[in-house]
Amino acid sequence: MVNLDKYSSIFIANWKLNGNSSFLKDYYEKLKVNSNNCTIICSPSIYLKSLKGNNENLFCGAQDVSSFKEGAYTGELSASMLKDNNIDFCLVGHSERRQHFAETNDKVNTKSSNLIKENIIPVICIGETLEQKEKNLTEEILTSQIKDSVPNLANHQNALIAYEPVWAIGTGLTPTLDEINQAHELIKNFDQKFIDFKVLYGGSVKSSNSKEITNLSHVDGCLIGGASLKVDEFNTIIS
Ligand code: 13P
């Protein structure tokens, strides 16, 4: 399992349903990984056996995993198959999967647990919708998602949490810096066991705001969607 304690910051590129072979080749040729940081590229799964080379601070992450271990589940990829292909990280419970693919907290919990047992670090995504934020339900939603999505065997060395307010994803909107820091503090203080967890922020991160977000005391890195598709922009974010 990757030693997370080694890194001051963690940056994850979530390419979502984007990219092709030539994009990938060009991207890895231009990518400049900073050795203080852990950099993870979550490409679509067919491209996971990528051109990443031998950079010890650059890792491949999957965007999803099956909740089943094996059997008659057409189209699925199991945690052990990811491990077999040297995948070290996997996003779980991204809001797009919760929204479009009926991913429940229970499923996120099972998937995360299966990943940890295969020595793959789950990046467990949580976050409130705009409607929930407007009803002042952010704290309630985050705490119930943590309680139900994070498996008992998770700890700060084998799992990551990503706070992604749903309303900030792909919209250009972000919470204020204070709101981001407070949400991360809330997550870390939810229970004694979460105090040392690394918590990443995601939602409209770009080169112009990544530094001030990453510098917040309770933020340990970023999960980046759209801006991670432009390698020069991503290089600036991780530099
Ligand atoms: P954007 O950076 O495009 O807002 O997407 C965030 C995200 O969903 C990362 O997982």
Side-chain angles (χ1 to χ4, degrees), residues 35-234:
S35 60
N36 293 325
N37 300 329
C38 174
T39 302
I40 304 154
I41 308 289
C42 296
S43 64
S45 52
I46 199 160
Y47 299 117
L48 278 172
K49 272 206 146 176
S50 67
L51 309 167
K52 95 172 187 69
N54 292 326
N55 191 319
E56 60 174 59
N57 301 305
L58 177 63
F59 301 94
C60 291
Q63 296 178 13
D64 184 37
V65 66
S66 178
S67 55
F68 300 104
K69 292 190 174 163
E70 63 179 353
Y73 302 104
T74 302
E76 295 282 87
L77 284 177
S78 69
S80 67
M81 289 169 186
L82 295 180
K83 192 67 207 173
D84 201 25
N85 282 274
N86 300 318
I87 305 309
D88 291 299
F89 294 85
C90 182
L91 304 180
V92 201
H94 190 282
S95 67
E96 288 151 13
R97 296 213 60 88
R98 290 179 187 265
Q99 188 185 344
H100 303 302
F101 302 95
E103 186 135 310
T104 58
N105 286 333
D106 266 3
K107 267 202 180 149
V108 176
N109 192 308
T110 306
K111 289 179 177 192
S112 302
S113 172
N114 290 347
L115 288 164
I116 292 170
K117 286 179 190 154
E118 293 291 344
N119 288 326
I120 297 172
I121 296 178
V123 182
I124 303 168
C125 303
I126 59 175
E128 82 285 0
T129 62
L130 185 58
E131 194 185 352
Q132 290 163 339
K133 179 183 164 60
E134 285 171 349
K135 289 185 180 155
N136 285 324
L137 292 174
T138 300
E139 181 167 345
E140 196 177 310
I141 296 299
L142 294 186
T143 51
S144 81
Q145 287 181 332
I146 298 170
K147 193 160 65 62
D148 296 337
S149 304
V150 181
N152 286 337
L153 77 170
N155 62 45
H156 71 278
Q157 288 168 320
N158 65 20
L160 291 166
I161 293 178
Y163 169 55
E164 294 205 300
V166 180
W167 54 273
I169 295 177
T171 58
L173 303 171
T174 56
T176 64
L177 293 174
D178 272 353
E179 285 173 328
I180 294 175
N181 211 29
Q182 276 164 20
H184 284 232
E185 191 176 10
L186 174 90
I187 293 164
K188 292 183 183 192
N189 287 328
F190 170 67
D191 182 293
Q192 182 66 26
K193 89 171 218 179
F194 290 105
I195 284 193
D196 292 325
F197 262 67
K198 290 197 191 304
V199 182
L200 316 184
Y201 170 76
S204 296
V205 175
K206 40 192 184 284
S207 59
S208 56
N209 63 12
S210 59
K211 196 164 181 185
E212 56 190 11
I213 294 173
T214 316
N215 281 344
L216 292 167
S217 55
H218 295 290
V219 174
D220 302 291
C222 292
L223 174 52
I224 305 127
S228 76
L229 291 169
K230 299 173 203 131
V231 67
D232 294 336
E233 173 92 357
F234 190 60

Side-chain angles (χ1 to χ4, degrees), residues 15-25 27 42-44 46-47 63 229:
W15 288 3
K16 308 188 181 186
L17 188 55
N18 295 290
N20 55 37
S21 303
S22 64
F23 172 85
L24 201 87
K25 187 164 177 295
Y27 197 94
C42 296
S43 64
I46 199 160
Y47 299 117
Q63 296 178 13
L229 291 169

